[in-house]
Amino acid sequence: MAVSRREKNSQSTVRGSRIAIAIGIGVVAGCIFAFFFPNGFLSSNPPRRLSKSSLQEDLSLCESPEKINMLKTDIMRVSEKNAELKKQVRELNDKLRLAELGKDHAREQFMVLSEPHKAGPFGTVKGLRTNPTVLPDESVNPRLAKILAEVAVGKELIVALANSNVKGMLEVWFTSIKKVGIRNYLVVALDDAIVDFCKSNDVSVYKRDPDEVVDSLGKIGGNHAVSGLKFRILREFLQLGYSVLLSDVDIVFLQNPFDHLYRDSDVESMTDGHNNMTAYGYNDVFDEPAMGWARYAHTMRIWVYNSGFFYIRPTIPSIELLDRVADRMAHQANVWDQAVFNEELYYPSHPGYIGLHAAKRTMDFYLFMNSKVLFKTVRKDANLKKLKPVIVHINYHPDKLSRMLAVIEFYVNGKQDALDSFPDGSA
């Protein structure tokens, strides 16, 4: 039977209404379930209501002492790491700057020696004379490292050893240093009395940790015994990367010595020589008539370096020098530290002996003046009397304190006859 168009339209309308109603019921049911079961049917955790008490509980957990301590520990650890990284960056920047500017002669030498080079034209070839410095090792003596970081200027300082036997000279020594305006100096005290004396006079002082050998010699030893100790003690200064201007206490400072150093050698020392020949070396002819035609033998001579005043850089040859001298002083009887000091510096390699490969420089004997030069020559010469030395070392005379005071009267206070009453030599 045929179906009219109106009946078809009526059936389509009823079917569409049913679908719309079903969709509506589904949406409403979903909303209801979503409202009452926000976590789903299978969730094991009941819905949590954000009440005021629950919020306070969460905050209290965050602010617990354990949590705070953990956070503080983390912050400290990160801060320390950051500080260490900053230190490493600064060190790398310093090394890079030195390399770029070419100011570190030791680095330059290392670079030159690392590969072979062709010799230049005649008269243009110059060898490098500066050995590289050692890598500082603060673990050697952390306490001393801290002191040196505060006292030293430009990684260098004046160092003197003293015990109570030289208290009077020590006072003249550091008083002259202060008057010149030198800040980078340190007294290595060999007994407690010197520690107290230095502290009461606002003098930088350092006393080593207990050492049986050093303590026994340092407290009761005379000048030579104390002088021998310095080679053992100075080693730590060099290992820490500092250049040291070692000074005996029988020295008067009249200018800043750091303004007159060359710093191109391992050791830069004052001389016991009293003129150009004896101070800087000369060809001495030895005459042996029995040899006939070959009676004249030429020799090279130089007067010794003074082991009571020298500048030493932190290099491997310098440390080897200190070790050699200290070892011989400890194991050989009746030896003088100054003689050993010069023998190790000058003796060449020969069968059964390996010489020290250290660069050395002799200081100007009019600037770094010994007492023989002063009392035998300078005070008697009108022109030389006008010169002002950097230091005067009373090394040739036993009446040290009185001559030190006279030096101050002459050069500092301008008393022209202050030196006249003393003999050239010792009485």
Side-chain angles (χ1 to χ4, degrees):
M1 183 171 66
V3 181
S4 66
R5 180 177 298 176
R6 179 175 297 181
E7 289 177 348
K8 289 182 179 180
N9 290 338
S10 173
Q11 293 175 357
S12 299
T13 300
V14 173
R15 190 181 301 111
S17 299
R18 290 176 179 174
I19 294 174
I21 291 171
I23 292 174
I25 293 172
V27 171
V28 172
C31 292
I32 293 172
F33 282 113
F35 179 79
F36 287 102
F37 303 97
N39 297 315
F41 286 109
L42 301 178
S43 175
S44 61
N45 298 323
R48 184 178 180 185
R49 300 179 64 184
L50 297 176
S51 64
K52 181 177 180 180
S53 60
S54 64
L55 289 174
Q56 290 177 345
E57 182 181 353
D58 289 342
L59 290 174
S60 65
L61 289 175
C62 293
E63 297 175 357
S64 65
E66 293 80 5
K67 187 69 174 180
I68 292 174
N69 290 334
M70 290 177 60
L71 291 173
K72 287 182 178 179
T73 302
D74 291 342
I75 292 173
M76 290 178 61
R77 188 182 299 112
V78 171
S79 298
E80 291 174 356
K81 185 66 175 179
N82 188 44
E84 181 66 23
L85 289 174
K86 286 183 178 179
K87 180 181 178 182
Q88 293 177 2
V89 170
R90 286 196 300 268
E91 292 176 350
L92 290 173
N93 286 336
D94 290 341
K95 292 179 180 179
L96 179 61
R97 177 176 56 83
L98 290 174
E100 290 176 347
L101 297 178
K103 291 183 178 179
D104 191 340
H105 298 295
R107 186 182 301 277
E108 178 185 355
Q109 183 191 37
F110 176 79
M111 295 301 295
V112 171
L113 296 178
S114 63
E115 57 183 64
H117 291 263
K118 291 183 178 179
F122 178 82
T124 65
V125 177
K126 300 293 182 182
L128 293 173
R129 298 168 177 82
T130 308
N131 282 310
T133 56
V134 299
L135 184 67
D137 182 8
E138 293 190 2
S139 66
V140 170
N141 191 330
R143 185 167 66 89
L144 178 59
K146 184 178 180 181
I147 294 174
L148 296 182
E150 297 173 354
V151 174
V153 175
K155 300 287 285 187
E156 57 186 11
L157 74 161
I158 301 170
V159 174
L161 279 66
N163 61 17
S164 296
N165 294 335
V166 296
K167 186 176 179 180
M169 288 187 291
L170 176 64
E171 184 172 14
V172 177
W173 179 85
F174 65 65
T175 300
S176 69
I177 286 179
K178 289 181 178 181
K179 189 172 183 63
V180 173
I182 302 169
R183 297 186 294 109
N184 48 329
Y185 68 99
L186 179 70
V187 174
V188 177
L190 300 177
D191 57 47
D192 293 333
I194 290 297
V195 173
D196 297 336
F197 180 64
C198 288
K199 289 182 177 179
S200 65
N201 286 277
D202 194 26
V203 172
S204 299
V205 63
Y206 162 70
K207 189 172 185 296
R208 300 176 80 249
D209 294 331
D211 184 301
E212 183 177 353
V213 176
V214 174
D215 288 348
S216 60
L217 290 175
K219 291 179 179 178
I220 62 175
N223 285 342
H224 286 315
V226 172
S227 185
L229 291 177
K230 61 196 172 196
F231 299 98
R232 293 171 58 94
I233 294 174
L234 285 183
R235 192 185 205 278
E236 291 184 344
F237 287 76
L238 269 58
Q239 284 182 278
L240 293 171
Y242 289 85
S243 296
V244 174
L245 183 58
L246 189 281
S247 171
D248 283 352
V249 295
D250 57 343
I251 291 176
V252 176
F253 287 76
L254 302 169
Q255 298 186 58
N256 191 330
F258 294 108
D259 296 335
H260 300 272
L261 297 176
Y262 286 80
R263 301 175 178 85
D264 63 348
S265 304
D266 298 296
V267 177
E268 194 168 343
S269 178
M270 74 171 296
T271 175
D272 274 0
H274 58 93
N275 55 27
N276 284 340
M277 288 177 57
T278 57
Y280 308 137
Y282 63 102
N283 182 2
D284 184 45
V285 179
F286 176 77
D287 184 10
E288 189 177 7
M291 288 297 296
W293 175 82
R295 63 182 291 179
Y296 299 111
H298 289 259
T299 68
M300 294 303 300
R301 299 188 64 184
I302 185 172
W303 285 31
V304 295
Y305 282 171
N306 190 289
S307 63
F309 191 87
F310 59 87
Y311 178 81
I312 186 165
R313 295 177 58 248
T315 66
I316 293 298
S318 295
I319 295 176
E320 183 181 2
L321 170 66
L322 298 180
D323 289 350
R324 287 184 177 212
V325 177
D327 182 68
R328 288 183 58 184
M329 294 292 293
H331 296 96
Q332 296 179 6
N334 301 320
V335 291
W336 181 27
D337 70 284
Q338 180 159 293
V340 176
F341 177 69
N342 280 271
E343 289 169 1
E344 294 299 336
L345 271 175
Y346 280 99
Y347 279 176
S349 298
H350 55 263
Y353 176 80
I354 302 299
L356 179 71
H357 297 279
K360 47 197 172 289
R361 168 182 282 274
T362 305
M363 293 176 172
D364 187 322
F365 69 90
Y366 280 129
L367 292 179
F368 298 90
M369 190 181 297
N370 62 59
S371 56
K372 181 175 183 176
V373 173
L374 176 61
F375 287 97
K376 186 179 178 181
T377 305
V378 171
R379 67 170 175 168
K380 301 175 183 179
D381 188 297
N383 290 322
L384 292 177
K385 287 176 69 174
K386 298 176 184 178
L387 298 175
K388 186 176 183 179
V390 176
I391 60 106
V392 174
H393 189 180
I394 313 299
N395 60 313
Y396 271 100
H397 301 88
D399 50 341
K400 296 179 180 297
L401 183 56
S402 59
R403 291 192 187 237
M404 290 175 72
L405 295 173
V407 167
I408 293 175
E409 286 294 322
F410 180 78
Y411 284 108
V412 179
N413 299 329
K415 188 178 179 181
Q416 293 301 302
D417 61 347
L419 305 175
D420 296 348
S421 62
F422 296 93
D424 287 355
S426 57

